[in-house]
Amino acid sequence: MTTSAKLAEQRLAEQKLYEDFAVEHMVPLWTQIGNLMPATPAPAAVPHVWRWSVLYPLAERAGQLIPVGRGGERRAISLANPGFKGLPYATPTLWAAIQYLGPREEAPEHRHSQNAFRFVIEGEGVWTVVDGDPVAMRRGDFLLTPGWAFHGHQNVTDQPMAWLDGLDIPFVHLTDSAFFELGPDALSSRETPERSRSERLWAHPGLRPLSSFGTSSFGAQHPKSPLAAYRWEHTDAALRAQLELEDEGYPGVVEPGHAAVRFTSPATGGDVMPTIRAEFHRLRPGAATQTRREVGSSVFQVFQGSGVAEVSGIEHELGHGDLIVVPSWSAFQFAAGSSGVDLFRFSDTPIFERLHQDRVQIGA
Amino acid sequence: MTTSAKLAEQRLAEQKLYEDFAVEHMVPLWTQIGNLMPATPAPAAVPHVWRWSVLYPLAERAGQLIPVGRGGERRAISLANPGFKGLPYATPTLWAAIQYLGPREEAPEHRHSQNAFRFVIEGEGVWTVVDGDPVAMRRGDFLLTPGWAFHGHQNVTDQPMAWLDGLDIPFVHLTDSAFFELGPDALSSRETPERSRSERLWAHPGLRPLSSFGTSSFGAQHPKSPLAAYRWEHTDAALRAQLELEDEGYPGVVEPGHAAVRFTSPATGGDVMPTIRAEFHRLRPGAATQTRREVGSSVFQVFQGSGVAEVSGIEHELGHGDLIVVPSWSAFQFAAGSSGVDLFRFSDTPIFERLHQDRVQIGA
Amino acid sequence: MTTSAKLAEQRLAEQKLYEDFAVEHMVPLWTQIGNLMPATPAPAAVPHVWRWSVLYPLAERAGQLIPVGRGGERRAISLANPGFKGLPYATPTLWAAIQYLGPREEAPEHRHSQNAFRFVIEGEGVWTVVDGDPVAMRRGDFLLTPGWAFHGHQNVTDQPMAWLDGLDIPFVHLTDSAFFELGPDALSSRETPERSRSERLWAHPGLRPLSSFGTSSFGAQHPKSPLAAYRWEHTDAALRAQLELEDEGYPGVVEPGHAAVRFTSPATGGDVMPTIRAEFHRLRPGAATQTRREVGSSVFQVFQGSGVAEVSGIEHELGHGDLIVVPSWSAFQFAAGSSGVDLFRFSDTPIFERLHQDRVQIGA
Amino acid sequence: MTTSAKLAEQRLAEQKLYEDFAVEHMVPLWTQIGNLMPATPAPAAVPHVWRWSVLYPLAERAGQLIPVGRGGERRAISLANPGFKGLPYATPTLWAAIQYLGPREEAPEHRHSQNAFRFVIEGEGVWTVVDGDPVAMRRGDFLLTPGWAFHGHQNVTDQPMAWLDGLDIPFVHLTDSAFFELGPDALSSRETPERSRSERLWAHPGLRPLSSFGTSSFGAQHPKSPLAAYRWEHTDAALRAQLELEDEGYPGVVEPGHAAVRFTSPATGGDVMPTIRAEFHRLRPGAATQTRREVGSSVFQVFQGSGVAEVSGIEHELGHGDLIVVPSWSAFQFAAGSSGVDLFRFSDTPIFERLHQDRVQIGA
């Protein structure tokens, strides 16, 4: 047989083999390894900016057209990463959405294994009821509804209110760990207290209710933060203090001109929920962060001020309420505009740290 | 305007809204919530059986046609869950493949962030070299190549050898945490010792090398097991002992007639790797497990004997080398045939336990 | 030989044996086991009350006679448990002392491996400087100087000030783990800020400085609380909230009429220091605690109000500033007088929990 | 008044003050601080050697004179550190004793909160029954009776047997955490199996009974090792392997010529019991350890071979069975004689590591 005949025969045999693989539900590694096992993470997700000035009017239109209630459950519109061809995911693990509640509207109670938080970019007047505890939502507040806590919302004002929802929906969907249960149709509480019961028990620095330790030697477990609300006045004060300490020559900031806090559980000092990390960053006017790469993906929202995010070498101007997604291992840097910038951030980093898959690279 | 005119107008407005959402890369929750947030996990993966009598001849044909070497790296053929439409994943998180190495063949060294193990259903004669330490592979052995360890293989005999590879490739791909690096083209060691250096240091029950604790107060961290090989003679002895203790009336078995061990790190007593759990189960002739549902997915392989797996209400007869996938939250039960059955199992359970998303339901 | 002669011979032989033991530095267990290994803890320490009305004038006299400075280091007078025959220990593990600083006086800087705190029963005007950070001391405050932190004090007023010192001196002495080092003779800071730098960084509920996590995957370790001061206003507010929640029918109190908080590290949610637990308890007028026994010893001080402590069946009336020691496994109960009672408590419980020697028995 | 008159008056006033302190059960710090808070640990315990050639005959005489049974419970003779003036403690935390059981004798069952182990320097023929599980005791074995496990012993031979007992009796006594309970007068088992049930379940390297994980998400807790016996054949093999690896040029030994293992719990990879660490060290002929100081105290026993221990600058020749105490923070070094030396060691180090009071200084 000639060489070319042999080659042709080999090709045929290979083709037949691949066909037989397919019939038996098998796939060879050697044709896929480049895609499956890249040298460094090769996200399908892309860096992308969503403008608050676009999001809010769309949410408003939804408020006029779409009722909120049982079935649809929430008037939330998610950021769909352009890299995912229509999937409603900001990143492969994280969901980010704008939720909109019209005047006097209510969203009914339910619970799910997905961990959730709200961050309030502006407005007030909604109470979210978490396991029966009404929690006021106000500008700058960070609010938790950890997995399997019943929750519903009510707007007690004549004004609409919109905020950012963050969840681990994609991660939970991907890993087939989703549970969902409807609650009672009526909200379990219509009270509108200034402070939730959770805060009254837990929002005292370094002080834990003795009843929270349980009766065993090892104490009750608190995998999720028992504190439902992190108020803007505290976040702002903590950031201000770091910058003042920097002015006085003392440690506290992360790097020059960059103050930051992580939202943590007062029961553990660790992340508020097992899959989601949340932080607040403040850059002085003109300050910039070091360039970093991290395993895991993040969503940033500008709370106030403005700045420039450079992600994978592309600069994006960001103003009030704008959101940007940073995919895994993409180099990113933030620089503040002339009045500084306040950034809310959430990420899936706890997943990687808990599974020892985390890496960070600092510098370009 | 008439009611129907109003309705038509509403439909048009909604349609326009959804189009505008799409332009802005937004997706409403209310149209997707049923799919995204089901009442209980709704896996795309399906229970499926791959027969060893089918797999092995296909691997053999690949051995004749496809060379192993740089680029393709490994002659491994993965189980592609029929629910995934061609994706080479056994479950959303786990990769399972048959790897085949011909007489005198070598697979070159590389390393990756994915965690990997081998389980040997039959044969011997291959040494896998893990971070320079040659580890013999023999029938019944469970062998580790944890994330970021360099590894290559050589077959020193005139017989081919095939085995099961298990990795967290889908999980790592999904979460964009993949790193990969080629090693030297030549194997770092061609020695063929009976026992690896890792075993010589670590395979002494309850005894740790003092040097493994490091010098800090807290000791060196060992997120992954330092023991490269779990030998069949030990696994078999441990299972036999449990059944003998049961005969004598003492505790030890998991349930009547069902002995089981988990492969663990001697440095922590926990899972061998952060994302993968591995266990070995032995059922006496005629014994059956309770029906269980678990968050997370598993792959079982029959090592010896035979039996019946009932998954989601469907019975599957299983014999030597056969593999079955159990998707998340699917009810499953195993019953041994007349000569009992030995089952190797691996799963992604550590992911859910570490993220507090684990649930187990025992009984029908 | 007669029986009695045999017995006499036996006695002689035994006596000779015991003498030979003594020469060789050996002691038989069988003559000591009752003392060494009692059925339940048999403390040498006794329950005892020290009156503030007695302590304070004695401290005042010491203030007139004894200078404070290098060598003696501190004008602290310790509670010497009557069961210990002159040893300056409140319990076998805990030291409790009244420390007195005259107008304009200073106590020089030093550091030691012993963990220390201050609790301020009354007065103000002293700053304690902890690792260079000046911390105001005021009525009701709980202040930390964890092991190996440099610290000194200055009184910037024309009034004397006295407070409670708590340390693990006996435990550290007993276990031969004491280290001590003098600091500079002059205080490292004479500033008198309202709030310490430590509070400015850490006293924000649930918010951690990002810089506190360090750069490793696992973050910086914080075996001791980074928060130097727990202010009365927060403690009082936390206790008040628990009783209000009880009035409203919600959980929060430990038991009816009994509010309590534990001072914890914001970095871990656990005890402030590895050997010392500190708590604050408030009983409503007329309320009483359940009777408890615990492994480990405690010291209580009445902060305000009055009540009755029953320890080992004996009742003790307690008023402002009075201190009572509860030895290990002694049954104790507190009952509030007509205006309620506020109790500061510290104990060695973390030692037992960390070593798995803890036990609690609730009820008589 | 003259200066000397003033001084005399001051002296009188001071004396009166100290008398008043004493009446009120108070002790000033300033007169005691040098003793209470030394610059580095100042143990009362002294380094001391007990010779096996002296201990054994004394134990033998006790065997002839003193019956073993209820009340005295055990024929154990403790090493009484000469620094403690008759107290039966080897160090402030550790008890070490030679226990002697005559032919066919039994020691009745009891349990206590103190953690205990046995180390067998020579002989065999005794079974210790731990929570109903008979455990053979043979030369070189390390055997556990963790706190609160019932245990008794029987000698089934016509030869006496003696061994080393190690407990935390002094620590538990000191901290008032002792509990003790008699068991049934008759041994709960008179079986004499080769291997205990505990070993049959647990002594398989890296393999854990699945039943040991319990049913909760976090698994059953194992603060104490579930493995009752660590056999000499394993210890010897592990040490031999380290020295062979050193010969081959691979890591494994602690330092040149010095192999060592720590006895650990297969359920955690940590110390066998919360208060006691146990290790086995082997020095090649002529090899020597680095000089070290550690917080905490140790007892070493020569198992075979001979050598020289230098402690606090004094050299001690040690041969078969000899014991030496190393007090806290005393510089110590071991050097092997011409045939090498095997050393068993136990210490209280876990106490200090768990309480973050540990320090190590390597080098002179």
Side-chain angles (χ1 to χ4, degrees):
Chain A
M1 203 156 49
T2 63
T3 307
S4 67
K6 270 184 187 157
L7 268 173
E9 192 183 38
Q10 161 93 3
R11 286 287 166 280
L12 267 175
E14 282 180 20
Q15 194 180 318
K16 180 70 175 73
L17 178 65
Y18 293 152
E19 284 167 15
D20 291 350
F21 282 163
V23 168
E24 299 298 341
H25 299 294
M26 299 179 71
V27 174
L29 173 62
W30 56 86
T31 61
Q32 307 248 349
I33 190 169
N35 173 43
L36 283 175
M37 304 180 91
T40 57
V46 296
H48 189 76
V49 174
W50 288 261
R51 302 280 167 206
W52 191 247
S53 58
V54 171
L55 295 183
Y56 189 84
L58 280 169
E60 219 168 11
R61 280 169 58 195
Q64 286 146 7
L65 287 169
I66 312 291
V68 68
R70 266 295 171 254
E73 299 290 314
R74 298 291 184 264
R75 194 188 290 109
I77 314 153
S78 69
L79 312 188
N81 194 292
F84 290 153
K85 302 169 182 171
L87 271 182
Y89 301 165
T91 83
T93 54
L94 298 172
W95 165 278
I98 177 170
Q99 186 169 161
Y100 183 94
L101 207 57
R104 307 290 161 189
E105 272 190 335
E106 287 188 13
E109 295 204 2
H110 60 217
R111 66 176 174 179
H112 40 69
S113 55
Q114 290 87 352
N115 293 293
F117 72 82
R118 336 261 159 230
F119 176 69
V120 183
I121 190 81
E122 61 191 24
E124 63 179 43
V126 169
W127 267 254
T128 179
V129 184
V130 181
D131 276 335
D133 186 13
V135 185
M137 296 176 64
R138 286 183 291 253
R139 179 178 173 277
D141 293 345
F142 172 70
L143 310 140
L144 294 187
T145 45
W148 218 234
F150 275 114
H151 56 283
H153 319 306
Q154 66 165 338
N155 184 340
V156 303
T157 74
D158 295 324
Q159 303 301 321
M161 185 177 170
W163 61 85
L164 175 67
D165 276 353
L167 291 94
D168 53 11
I169 290 176
F171 181 78
V172 169
H173 191 251
L174 227 67
T175 55
D176 293 328
S177 50
F179 293 84
F180 184 93
E181 202 173 285
L182 296 178
D185 284 336
L187 284 182
S188 55
S189 168
R190 290 182 193 284
E191 291 174 272
T192 56
E194 271 299 288
R195 300 174 75 220
S196 61
R197 300 197 302 268
S198 146
E199 290 164 86
R200 291 160 69 192
L201 274 177
W202 284 96
H204 309 281
L207 302 174
R208 278 186 66 171
L210 206 62
S211 52
S212 73
F213 287 96
T215 51
S216 81
S217 303
F218 295 87
Q221 282 175 342
H222 292 271
K224 294 158 188 181
S225 176
L227 181 57
Y230 296 72
R231 298 296 173 195
W232 171 241
E233 68 198 76
H234 297 134
T235 305
D236 185 43
L239 296 167
R240 223 179 320 113
Q242 287 184 19
L243 293 177
E244 287 165 2
L245 285 165
E246 187 185 31
D247 286 334
E248 299 166 27
Y250 293 113
V253 294
V254 179
E255 52 189 339
H258 177 188
V261 289
R262 186 171 296 165
F263 298 99
T264 55
S265 167
T268 64
D271 285 301
V272 286
M273 299 183 297
T275 53
I276 298 179
R277 171 162 297 169
E279 297 173 349
F280 207 102
H281 295 254
R282 174 170 292 172
L283 291 174
R284 287 181 195 274
T289 68
Q290 278 193 294
T291 298
R292 297 172 69 93
R293 290 174 191 270
E294 299 181 8
V295 165
S297 52
S298 292
V299 180
F300 291 82
Q301 185 172 30
V302 173
F303 180 64
Q304 54 190 10
S306 64
V308 175
E310 184 180 321
V311 186
S312 302
I314 310 289
E315 294 196 349
H316 305 268
E317 302 261 351
L318 299 173
H320 172 71
D322 292 350
L323 292 130
I324 187 165
V325 161
V326 178
S328 186
W329 210 241
S330 305
F332 68 97
Q333 184 194 37
F334 284 86
S338 59
S339 56
V341 67
D342 273 11
L343 287 162
F344 171 77
R345 177 192 191 179
F346 72 104
S347 74
D348 57 3
T349 317
I351 295 174
F352 302 99
E353 288 186 0
R354 284 164 185 257
L355 300 175
H356 299 278
Q357 294 280 16
D358 56 311
R359 291 197 194 191
V360 174
Q361 186 183 289
I362 297 175
Chain B
M1 205 158 49
T2 63
T3 307
S4 67
K6 270 184 187 157
L7 267 172
E9 192 183 38
Q10 162 90 5
R11 286 288 164 281
L12 266 176
E14 282 179 19
Q15 193 180 320
K16 180 72 174 72
L17 179 65
Y18 292 152
E19 286 166 14
D20 290 351
F21 281 164
V23 168
E24 299 297 341
H25 300 293
M26 298 179 71
V27 174
L29 172 63
W30 56 88
T31 62
Q32 309 247 350
I33 190 168
N35 173 43
L36 284 175
M37 304 179 93
T40 58
V46 297
H48 189 77
V49 174
W50 288 260
R51 301 280 167 205
W52 191 247
S53 58
V54 171
L55 295 183
Y56 189 84
L58 281 169
E60 219 167 14
R61 280 170 57 196
Q64 287 147 7
L65 287 169
I66 312 291
V68 68
R70 267 294 172 256
E73 301 289 313
R74 296 292 184 264
R75 193 187 292 108
I77 314 152
S78 68
L79 312 187
N81 195 290
F84 290 154
K85 302 170 183 170
L87 270 181
Y89 299 164
T91 82
T93 53
L94 297 172
W95 165 279
I98 177 170
Q99 185 169 161
Y100 183 94
L101 206 57
R104 308 289 161 189
E105 272 191 335
E106 287 189 13
E109 294 203 5
H110 60 216
R111 66 176 174 180
H112 39 70
S113 55
Q114 290 87 352
N115 293 295
F117 71 82
R118 334 259 161 234
F119 175 69
V120 182
I121 190 81
E122 61 192 22
E124 64 179 42
V126 169
W127 267 255
T128 179
V129 184
V130 181
D131 275 337
D133 186 12
V135 185
M137 296 176 65
R138 286 183 290 252
R139 179 177 172 278
D141 293 347
F142 172 71
L143 310 139
L144 293 187
T145 44
W148 219 232
F150 275 115
H151 55 283
H153 318 306
Q154 67 166 338
N155 184 341
V156 302
T157 74
D158 295 324
Q159 304 301 322
M161 186 178 168
W163 61 84
L164 174 68
D165 275 355
L167 291 95
D168 53 10
I169 291 177
F171 181 77
V172 169
H173 191 251
L174 226 69
T175 56
D176 292 329
S177 50
F179 292 83
F180 183 94
E181 202 173 285
L182 296 177
D185 284 336
L187 284 182
S188 55
S189 168
R190 290 184 194 282
E191 292 174 272
T192 57
E194 271 298 288
R195 299 173 75 219
S196 62
R197 300 198 302 270
S198 146
E199 290 164 87
R200 291 160 71 192
L201 275 177
W202 283 96
H204 310 280
L207 301 174
R208 279 187 64 172
L210 206 63
S211 52
S212 73
F213 288 96
T215 52
S216 81
S217 303
F218 295 88
Q221 282 174 343
H222 292 272
K224 294 158 189 180
S225 175
L227 181 57
Y230 296 72
R231 297 295 173 195
W232 172 241
E233 68 197 76
H234 297 133
T235 306
D236 185 42
L239 295 168
R240 222 177 324 111
Q242 287 183 18
L243 293 177
E244 287 165 3
L245 286 165
E246 188 185 30
D247 286 335
E248 300 165 25
Y250 293 113
V253 295
V254 178
E255 53 188 338
H258 178 188
V261 290
R262 186 171 297 165
F263 297 99
T264 55
S265 167
T268 65
D271 286 301
V272 286
M273 299 183 296
T275 54
I276 297 180
R277 171 162 298 169
E279 296 173 351
F280 207 101
H281 295 253
R282 173 170 292 171
L283 291 174
R284 287 182 195 273
T289 69
Q290 279 193 293
T291 299
R292 297 171 69 93
R293 292 173 189 272
E294 300 181 7
V295 166
S297 51
S298 293
V299 180
F300 290 83
Q301 185 172 30
V302 173
F303 179 65
Q304 53 191 10
S306 64
V308 176
E310 184 180 321
V311 186
S312 302
I314 311 289
E315 294 195 350
H316 306 267
E317 302 261 350
L318 299 173
H320 172 70
D322 292 350
L323 293 131
I324 186 165
V325 160
V326 178
S328 186
W329 210 241
S330 305
F332 68 97
Q333 186 195 35
F334 286 85
S338 58
S339 57
V341 68
D342 272 13
L343 288 162
F344 172 75
R345 177 192 191 180
F346 72 104
S347 74
D348 58 2
T349 318
I351 296 174
F352 302 99
E353 288 186 359
R354 284 163 184 256
L355 300 175
H356 300 277
Q357 294 280 16
D358 57 311
R359 291 198 194 190
V360 175
Q361 185 182 290
I362 298 176
Chain C
M1 204 155 50
T2 63
T3 308
S4 67
K6 270 183 189 161
L7 267 173
E9 193 182 35
Q10 161 91 3
R11 285 287 165 280
L12 267 175
E14 282 180 20
Q15 192 179 323
K16 180 70 173 70
L17 178 65
Y18 292 152
E19 284 166 15
D20 290 351
F21 281 163
V23 168
E24 299 297 341
H25 299 293
M26 299 178 71
V27 174
L29 173 62
W30 56 87
T31 61
Q32 308 247 347
I33 190 169
N35 173 43
L36 284 175
M37 305 181 91
T40 57
V46 296
H48 189 77
V49 175
W50 288 259
R51 302 281 165 204
W52 190 248
S53 58
V54 171
L55 295 183
Y56 189 83
L58 281 168
E60 221 169 11
R61 280 169 57 195
Q64 286 147 8
L65 288 170
I66 313 290
V68 68
R70 267 294 173 255
E73 299 290 311
R74 296 291 185 265
R75 193 188 291 110
I77 314 153
S78 68
L79 312 188
N81 194 291
F84 289 154
K85 301 170 185 171
L87 271 181
Y89 300 166
T91 82
T93 54
L94 298 173
W95 165 279
I98 177 170
Q99 185 169 163
Y100 183 94
L101 207 58
R104 306 291 161 188
E105 272 190 335
E106 287 188 16
E109 294 203 2
H110 59 217
R111 66 176 175 180
H112 40 68
S113 55
Q114 289 87 351
N115 292 294
F117 72 82
R118 335 259 160 232
F119 176 68
V120 183
I121 190 81
E122 62 191 22
E124 63 180 41
V126 169
W127 268 254
T128 178
V129 184
V130 181
D131 274 338
D133 186 11
V135 185
M137 296 176 64
R138 286 183 290 253
R139 180 177 172 276
D141 293 347
F142 171 70
L143 310 140
L144 294 186
T145 45
W148 219 234
F150 276 115
H151 57 283
H153 318 305
Q154 66 165 336
N155 185 341
V156 304
T157 73
D158 295 323
Q159 304 301 321
M161 185 176 169
W163 61 84
L164 175 68
D165 275 355
L167 292 94
D168 53 10
I169 291 176
F171 180 78
V172 169
H173 191 251
L174 225 67
T175 56
D176 292 329
S177 51
F179 292 84
F180 183 93
E181 202 173 286
L182 296 178
D185 284 336
L187 283 181
S188 54
S189 168
R190 290 183 193 284
E191 292 175 274
T192 56
E194 271 298 288
R195 299 173 75 220
S196 62
R197 300 197 301 271
S198 146
E199 290 165 86
R200 291 160 70 192
L201 275 177
W202 283 97
H204 310 280
L207 302 173
R208 277 187 65 172
L210 207 62
S211 52
S212 73
F213 288 96
T215 52
S216 81
S217 302
F218 294 88
Q221 280 175 342
H222 292 272
K224 294 159 188 181
S225 176
L227 182 55
Y230 295 73
R231 297 295 174 196
W232 172 241
E233 69 198 74
H234 296 134
T235 306
D236 185 43
L239 296 167
R240 223 180 320 113
Q242 287 185 18
L243 293 177
E244 287 165 3
L245 285 166
E246 187 185 31
D247 285 336
E248 299 166 27
Y250 292 113
V253 294
V254 179
E255 54 189 338
H258 177 189
V261 290
R262 186 172 296 165
F263 298 99
T264 55
S265 166
T268 64
D271 285 300
V272 285
M273 299 183 296
T275 53
I276 297 179
R277 171 161 298 167
E279 297 174 348
F280 207 102
H281 295 254
R282 173 171 292 173
L283 292 173
R284 287 182 195 274
T289 69
Q290 279 193 294
T291 298
R292 297 171 69 93
R293 291 173 190 271
E294 300 182 6
V295 166
S297 52
S298 292
V299 179
F300 290 83
Q301 185 172 31
V302 174
F303 179 64
Q304 53 191 9
S306 63
V308 174
E310 183 180 322
V311 186
S312 302
I314 311 288
E315 295 196 349
H316 305 267
E317 302 261 351
L318 299 173
H320 172 71
D322 293 350
L323 293 131
I324 187 165
V325 162
V326 178
S328 186
W329 210 243
S330 306
F332 68 97
Q333 185 195 35
F334 286 84
S338 59
S339 56
V341 66
D342 272 13
L343 288 162
F344 172 77
R345 177 191 190 180
F346 72 104
S347 74
D348 57 4
T349 317
I351 295 174
F352 301 99
E353 288 186 0
R354 284 163 185 256
L355 300 174
H356 300 279
Q357 295 279 15
D358 57 311
R359 292 198 193 189
V360 175
Q361 185 183 291
I362 297 176
Chain D
M1 202 157 48
T2 64
T3 308
S4 67
K6 270 184 188 159
L7 268 173
E9 192 182 38
Q10 162 91 4
R11 286 287 166 279
L12 266 176
E14 283 181 19
Q15 194 180 320
K16 181 70 174 71
L17 178 65
Y18 293 152
E19 285 166 15
D20 290 352
F21 281 165
V23 167
E24 298 297 341
H25 299 292
M26 300 178 71
V27 174
L29 173 62
W30 55 87
T31 61
Q32 309 248 348
I33 190 169
N35 174 43
L36 284 174
M37 305 180 91
T40 58
V46 296
H48 189 78
V49 175
W50 286 260
R51 302 281 167 204
W52 190 247
S53 58
V54 171
L55 295 183
Y56 189 83
L58 281 169
E60 221 169 10
R61 280 169 58 194
Q64 287 148 5
L65 288 170
I66 313 291
V68 68
R70 267 295 172 256
E73 299 291 312
R74 297 292 183 264
R75 193 188 293 108
I77 315 154
S78 68
L79 313 187
N81 194 292
F84 290 153
K85 302 170 185 170
L87 270 182
Y89 299 165
T91 82
T93 54
L94 298 173
W95 164 278
I98 177 170
Q99 186 170 161
Y100 183 94
L101 206 57
R104 307 291 161 187
E105 272 191 333
E106 287 188 13
E109 295 205 2
H110 61 217
R111 67 176 174 180
H112 40 69
S113 54
Q114 290 87 352
N115 292 294
F117 71 82
R118 335 257 160 236
F119 176 68
V120 183
I121 191 80
E122 62 191 21
E124 63 180 40
V126 169
W127 268 253
T128 178
V129 184
V130 181
D131 274 337
D133 186 13
V135 185
M137 297 176 63
R138 284 184 291 253
R139 181 177 172 275
D141 293 346
F142 172 70
L143 309 140
L144 293 186
T145 44
W148 218 233
F150 275 114
H151 56 283
H153 319 306
Q154 66 165 336
N155 185 341
V156 303
T157 75
D158 295 323
Q159 303 300 322
M161 186 179 169
W163 61 83
L164 175 67
D165 275 353
L167 291 94
D168 54 10
I169 291 177
F171 181 77
V172 169
H173 191 251
L174 226 66
T175 56
D176 293 328
S177 50
F179 292 83
F180 184 93
E181 202 172 286
L182 295 177
D185 284 336
L187 284 181
S188 54
S189 168
R190 290 183 192 283
E191 291 174 272
T192 56
E194 270 299 288
R195 299 173 75 219
S196 62
R197 300 196 303 268
S198 147
E199 290 164 87
R200 291 161 70 193
L201 276 176
W202 284 96
H204 310 281
L207 302 174
R208 277 187 65 172
L210 206 63
S211 52
S212 73
F213 287 97
T215 52
S216 82
S217 303
F218 294 88
Q221 281 174 343
H222 293 272
K224 294 159 190 180
S225 176
L227 181 57
Y230 297 72
R231 297 295 173 197
W232 173 241
E233 68 198 76
H234 297 133
T235 306
D236 185 42
L239 296 167
R240 223 178 322 114
Q242 287 184 19
L243 293 177
E244 287 165 4
L245 285 165
E246 188 185 31
D247 285 336
E248 300 166 26
Y250 293 113
V253 294
V254 179
E255 54 189 338
H258 178 187
V261 289
R262 187 172 296 167
F263 298 99
T264 55
S265 167
T268 64
D271 285 300
V272 285
M273 299 183 295
T275 53
I276 297 180
R277 171 162 297 169
E279 298 173 348
F280 206 102
H281 295 254
R282 174 170 292 172
L283 292 174
R284 285 181 196 275
T289 68
Q290 279 193 293
T291 298
R292 298 171 69 93
R293 291 173 190 272
E294 300 181 8
V295 166
S297 51
S298 292
V299 179
F300 291 82
Q301 185 173 30
V302 173
F303 178 65
Q304 53 191 8
S306 64
V308 174
E310 183 180 323
V311 185
S312 301
I314 310 289
E315 295 195 349
H316 305 267
E317 303 261 352
L318 300 173
H320 172 69
D322 292 349
L323 293 130
I324 187 166
V325 161
V326 177
S328 186
W329 211 241
S330 305
F332 67 97
Q333 185 195 35
F334 285 85
S338 58
S339 56
V341 68
D342 273 13
L343 288 163
F344 172 76
R345 177 192 190 179
F346 71 105
S347 74
D348 57 3
T349 318
I351 296 173
F352 302 99
E353 287 186 1
R354 285 164 185 256
L355 300 175
H356 300 278
Q357 294 280 16
D358 57 311
R359 292 197 192 190
V360 174
Q361 186 183 290
I362 297 175

